[in-house]
Amino acid sequence: MNKEIKTTLLHDWHVENGANMAAFGAYDMPLWYPLGVKGEHLAVIKSAGLFDTSHMAVITVQGEDARTLLQKYFSKDLEQCLGLKKTCLVEGRSVYGLFLSQEGHVLDDSIVSQVTDSLYMLVVNAGMGGPIATHLAEHAGEMQVEITDLTDRVGKVDIQGPDSAKILGKLLKEPSTVFEKFPYFSFKGWFEDGVRGVETVELSDGTPILLSRTGYTGEFGFEIFMAPDKLISLWEGLLKAGKEYSIEPCGLAARDSLRAGAVLPLSHQDVGDWPFAETPWPFALAERDEKGQFSKEFFGAEALSSLVAVEYTLPFAGYDPRKMVVSDKSYVADATGTKVGTILTCATDMAIGRVDESIVSTATSVESGKPEDFVPRGLSCGFVKVNRQFMPGDIVVLTDGKRKIKVEIRQDIRPDRTARRPMREML
Amino acid sequence: MKEVHELNLPEDVRYTKDHEWAKLTGDTIKIGISDYAQDQMGDIVFVEMPDVGDTFEEGDEFGTLESVKAVSELYIPVGGEVVAINEELEDTPELLNQDPYGGWIVEIKPKDTQEIEQLFDRDAYLGVLKDE
């Protein structure tokens, strides 16, 4: 098999700037820069961090049957997905969901964005552009639809953290117009010159971008898509513009610890080639009624409907930064020492700590219980997959047979995240 | 990440293939991790140390280091009894990143002070690093 190592266009920049590089999927990516993971993680909580996410893949689905195809193969019901009222997906809005196999296993997770009535953008994980595009094409049959895998043909950087809009605004041609009416999980613009009917978002130099109020850190920020030849200048421009806010380039390690604390799954690790059953992410599926019936039929739904859960994926947080390496030897035990499951993710969220029994973040206000002299020591956190239901507050033990780390099953992990904060508070 | 020539590798300590260092002062040996080890691990966030009075044979695991990236076992380069642990690391584990040779982890009273002679000197350790 061809195991060619791929690079993003920022690879040279990462190396020249002292990044510790490692393989992630097929890509050689930065794990952290000289500042270190802790500083990067905290930068995203306190100010802003910049991530090269060009390894992720973009697929476009175009044509009069685009929506019909996605309704059938994407787990989220595009007619009932937005907001509390579950209104339909419209232009300029995005939704998170899954592509499933017939058996209800996860092929990949994705954010689907409706650009126009007949153009949808799918962002999938590194290396998944080809497989998901093929999966959709194989099932498209007679449908009027064109599926294009844009892997390595779109540049992408994520700016994440409370100062993201202030920094990005300095580079936009019309920041106040762009930031107006820009809720979480919405987007504006397109990454090439004009798609009819789409309002453009341009940098001051005229570069068209697609700006999406999404991310993978749990914090306020944006994912920015552009033509690959604009990637390096935008990256450097954001670092320069963000200097006064102490922006930091961030590697995959900080991305992992931030997303774990935000209870976001990593595809192929926390969700993957096993039934998507009891998880902390039921919102990735179409709505269900009291009888468990989905609001629409979709590929994989039948398997999920008839599934009797035998495994439960649950978030956890520890009591100190100690982690258990996920390996063949490590497992989850209950209080009596009996093996009850496996560890999916175990990372350290460096922005949090325990005060008495509750978890406090660097971002927590003093009024909400953060001690004045709070210094986060970090807590291990992540996801376990266990063979019976545990409730929040229950204690399980992560062990490799030698070390034992006591952790608490949680509903949520890092408090006071900023992802959903109203835009007006962030400008 | 540091290139080999950028690493701080003092002459007055001995090294192991597991990237620990050992330094004999009087009749005790202080043990820590090399600049290479701390650079590879990234931010160290927790140090699990043995208790004073614990005894180890050469090569025994005596603790673990947690970085944001991974957990690494610590192996004792020279057998002996722990006479002190660096308690500062409990609150400031990042000392191992900031000053890997000032930031010792444990101090042992070796059974045989000559054992340290078996460890790599700077040049031999450089050879190990170049092969990594």
Side-chain angles (χ1 to χ4, degrees), chain A residues 91-169:
Chain A
E91 287 174 12
R93 299 299 291 264
S94 307
V95 65
Y96 172 79
L98 308 165
F99 290 102
L100 297 171
S101 69
Q102 186 96 61
E103 298 75 34
H105 296 198
V106 177
L107 301 174
D108 204 12
D109 63 354
S110 177
I111 290 179
V112 168
S113 298
Q114 181 175 344
V115 185
T116 69
D117 280 350
S118 59
L119 172 60
Y120 292 79
M121 178 179 85
L122 285 44
V123 180
V124 294
N125 289 279
M128 292 309 292
I132 296 298
T134 305
H135 170 72
L136 292 173
E138 280 172 0
H139 291 100
E142 298 295 303
M143 286 189 212
Q144 294 300 308
V145 66
E146 189 183 332
I147 298 150
T148 313
D149 170 21
L150 294 175
T151 295
D152 299 332
R153 285 155 62 190
V154 182
K156 178 172 180 285
V157 298
D158 297 4
I159 183 170
Q160 302 274 294
D163 291 331
S164 296
K166 290 175 216 158
I167 295 165
L168 179 62

Side-chain angles (χ1 to χ4, degrees), chain A residues 18-20 31-32 35-39 253 257 320-325 348 350 377 402-403 405, chain B residues 1 39-43 45-46 48 61 64 66-71 73 75 89-91 93-94:
Chain A
N20 184 321
L31 285 182
W32 59 77
L35 174 68
V37 196
K38 186 175 180 179
S257 52
D320 58 44
R322 287 179 308 146
K323 289 188 300 290
M324 188 57 58
V325 173
T348 305
M350 294 307 308
R377 291 190 65 200
K402 288 191 297 181
R403 299 168 69 234
I405 297 175
Chain B
M1 222 162 62
D39 187 52
Q40 287 286 318
M41 291 187 76
D43 289 345
V45 299
F46 198 89
E48 211 168 358
E61 185 183 327
T64 54
E66 307 253 349
S67 70
V68 177
K69 181 186 176 190
V71 182
E73 283 90 19
Y75 301 102
L89 296 176
E90 285 169 7
D91 286 328
E94 60 269 27

Side-chain angles (χ1 to χ4, degrees), chain B residues 21-33 47 49-56 62 74 76-87 89 102-111 116:
Chain B
W21 59 258
K23 183 179 180 178
L24 181 68
T25 319
D27 60 353
T28 64
I29 292 176
K30 277 188 175 152
I31 293 161
I33 59 164
V47 187
M49 290 179 282
D51 293 323
V52 171
D54 287 354
T55 59
F56 297 98
F62 71 95
L74 291 164
I76 207 115
V78 176
E81 182 189 340
V82 177
V83 293
I85 58 170
N86 186 354
E87 285 173 2
L89 296 176
W104 56 280
I105 300 169
V106 292
E107 185 172 0
I108 61 162
K109 189 166 171 47
K111 274 191 260 177
I116 198 168

